[in-house]
Amino acid sequence: MIEKIILDYLSEKLDVPVYLEKPASVPERYVVFEKTGSSRENFINSATIAIQSYAESMYEAANLNEKVKEAMDSIVSLPSVSKSRLNGDYNFTDTTKKQYRYQAVYDLTF
C-alpha cells in the first residue's frame, strides 16, 4: 500500500511527525498527506499524493515544504517506487483557522 510506504519513508526522512490524517492534538510542526487519486495500467500503479506541511509561521511552513520536496524527490531510492514527479506546490494557508501550511502534490509510479 503506497500510503504505508510514504508514511514510513517520510517519518524516517523528516524531523517532524508525519500523519495520514490531522491528529486531535497537533504539534507545532507536522506533515499530513493523502492519496487524492490512483490508477493502474498493465499492472503498473500510479498515485497522486497531496502533502501538507504545517508550521507556526509562513516561513517555517515553506521551509518544511522544501524538506518534504527533497525527501519526495529521493523516494525513488526505494525499490517499490519507480517515479516521483512534483506536480506543483503552493501556499495553502487555512485563513479561517489561521494555520500556516504549504502543499506539495506528487505523482508517483510504484
Side-chain angles (χ1 to χ4, degrees), residues 18-109:
V18 179
Y19 304 103
L20 284 167
E21 60 185 324
K22 193 171 180 181
S25 175
V26 296
E28 192 170 56
R29 295 180 195 166
Y30 63 99
V31 168
V32 175
F33 73 92
E34 66 179 314
K35 180 171 71 173
T36 61
S38 64
S39 65
R40 180 180 303 148
E41 184 177 346
N42 297 325
F43 303 101
I44 299 172
N45 297 303
S46 63
T48 301
I49 308 294
I51 308 164
Q52 298 175 1
S53 300
Y54 288 84
E56 69 278 11
S57 70
M58 180 76 70
Y59 173 80
E60 292 301 334
N63 189 42
L64 181 54
N65 181 64
E66 289 301 314
K67 291 177 182 178
V68 165
K69 291 190 309 182
E70 284 178 30
M72 289 301 293
D73 288 344
S74 298
I75 198 169
V76 294
S77 65
L78 298 176
S80 55
V81 179
S82 59
K83 178 182 171 187
S84 176
R85 184 182 74 84
L86 177 63
N87 185 305
D89 69 316
Y90 44 88
N91 177 2
F92 196 50
T93 297
D94 184 343
T95 55
T96 59
K97 295 180 182 178
K98 296 186 180 178
Q99 288 185 311
Y100 297 107
R101 67 182 173 185
Y102 264 70
Q103 180 162 281
V105 179
Y106 271 82
D107 298 318
L108 300 179
T109 302

